[in-house]
Amino acid sequence: MAEIVYLNGVLVPLSLTNISPFDHGFLYGYGLFETMRAYNGIIFRLERHLDRLRQAAEMLGLHSRLANFDLESACYHVLSTNELSDARLRLTVSAGEGDIVPNPTACQGITVFIVARKLTPLPLEQYEKGYTAIVSSLRRNSQSLLSRLKTSCYLENVLARQEAKAAGADEAVLLNEQELVAEGSGSNIFLVHKGQLVTPSIDCGALPGITRQAVLELASSLGIRATETELKPEKLFEADEAFFTNSIIEIMPLTRLDDKPIGSGKPGDLTLRLMETYTKLVAGYQRAQAGNS
């Protein structure tokens, strides 16, 4: 079956998709995106992804152009048309076609593109082993608006990830211009110290991740103290446990950083507890959404 995607209000075969080379998302990275995960045909916390997208679109002056798009229905139409159950979805919004000069006010309309692909979860062995990571040589500008938005200007994250892969690691930890921990190249980061959960604040250059917020809510429900604060990189090496979060990997233990073990070098008890609770959260969300359909 031909892969079907959503482009500007219409479901079309991928082979017939036509996006202008003058689109400002292509020319200048003037756009936003969301990566979401579907479980058994239910897109987890879709409403929160769309809320974050719309808030960011308002900051970039794109919000009014999105008003006529039913993004929730569009995401589900792509999922069902491709007969996908467990999937990774990517929703991209750009300023649309313009001129070769960087002038988004001259752009015509907007570009909205959604694609869904089958997702095979990482094997259980990966979670039992955990991720290895390096501290990237790149630095995040915490004073930049872009550090708080999930934009198409993603080159810094891609380069950090390539740096990690070249070093034989799974992920890279980005510091900001003050040498404070910001986030992973494609994830948020948490550490556990003396039973308390700590994560970099948004002001440090961390993206307000959907899974990050879910973990903070779970910690509150479990009576685990959680703090969003400034975090020096040496605190990671002093941590009892650490883990990464994003919508695709969920909660992934971080067991080695710069070839040094975090804690025991194995997934910690609190991390495992949060992983189990997160799985229950996803299952509960599926039941609630299925009941509302």
Side-chain angles (χ1 to χ4, degrees):
M1 185 179 74
E3 182 176 7
I4 303 299
V5 301
Y6 176 97
L7 179 62
N8 296 335
V10 182
L11 291 172
V12 294
L14 177 62
S15 60
L16 300 180
T17 302
N18 183 17
I19 298 177
S20 170
F22 292 100
D23 191 293
H24 271 43
F26 172 72
L27 289 178
Y28 300 109
Y30 200 110
L32 302 161
F33 75 97
E34 291 289 330
T35 300
M36 300 160 284
R37 181 167 173 175
Y39 302 81
N40 297 317
I42 301 296
I43 305 170
F44 184 61
R45 292 199 164 182
L46 173 59
E47 69 287 351
R48 299 204 184 189
H49 282 282
L50 296 182
D51 283 346
R52 181 173 67 177
L53 178 76
R54 292 187 179 106
Q55 290 172 17
E58 188 166 8
M59 298 177 75
L60 295 186
L62 300 175
H63 187 263
S64 62
R65 303 190 215 172
L66 276 177
N68 294 327
F69 291 91
D70 186 342
L71 297 178
E72 181 175 355
S73 293
C75 288
Y76 274 106
H77 284 152
V78 172
L79 198 63
S80 61
T81 302
N82 288 285
E83 300 179 1
L84 293 170
S85 178
D86 297 311
R88 176 189 185 120
L89 292 93
R90 157 96 181 210
L91 164 60
T92 307
V93 173
S94 84
E97 183 178 359
D99 200 351
I100 197 170
V101 298
N103 179 18
T105 60
C107 291
Q108 302 297 313
I110 193 171
T111 298
V112 180
F113 176 74
I114 305 172
V115 62
R117 296 275 173 87
K118 181 180 179 181
L119 175 68
T120 301
L122 291 172
L124 178 61
E125 291 77 16
Q126 180 67 76
Y127 290 90
E128 293 173 342
K129 177 184 177 183
Y131 266 8
T132 61
I134 62 165
V135 175
S136 174
S137 63
L138 293 133
R139 294 294 178 265
R140 171 66 45 82
N141 180 6
S142 66
Q143 304 304 305
S144 171
L145 169 68
L146 298 184
S147 71
R148 295 163 179 80
L149 306 179
K150 202 171 180 71
T151 75
S152 300
C153 305
Y154 211 61
L155 185 57
E156 186 175 74
N157 300 67
V158 172
L159 291 175
R161 176 162 291 190
Q162 286 182 326
E163 186 179 17
K165 296 301 182 185
D170 300 299
E171 178 61 300
V173 176
L174 285 160
L175 308 182
N176 66 20
E177 78 285 357
Q178 302 174 61
E179 298 296 306
L180 298 171
V181 178
E183 60 181 5
S185 69
S187 59
N188 290 113
I189 187 169
F190 288 80
L191 66 80
V192 178
H193 182 65
K194 296 182 179 179
Q196 297 183 15
L197 200 59
V198 184
T199 194
S201 70
I202 301 304
D203 290 339
C204 291
L207 183 78
I210 304 302
T211 311
R212 174 184 184 274
Q213 186 58 39
V215 168
L216 291 172
E217 293 169 6
L218 288 175
S220 178
S221 70
L222 294 171
I224 300 167
R225 182 181 176 185
T227 303
E228 300 174 67
T229 187
E230 294 182 349
L231 190 62
K232 294 181 179 180
E234 52 263 33
K235 293 297 182 181
L236 290 170
F237 296 104
E238 298 169 4
D240 302 315
E241 311 171 31
F243 58 87
F244 292 113
T245 64
N246 72 30
S247 295
I248 303 302
I249 63 172
E250 305 178 329
I251 299 174
M252 174 62 70
L254 168 60
T255 52
R256 297 189 71 85
L257 179 63
D258 283 345
D259 209 28
K260 299 175 183 176
I262 302 293
S264 66
K266 298 179 180 179
D269 292 340
L270 196 150
T271 301
L272 293 172
R273 185 183 178 192
L274 286 169
M275 290 168 65
E276 180 181 1
T277 309
Y278 185 86
T279 299
K280 293 177 180 178
L281 175 68
V282 171
Y285 183 88
Q286 292 179 66
R287 289 193 297 270
Q289 294 299 110
N292 292 331
S293 61

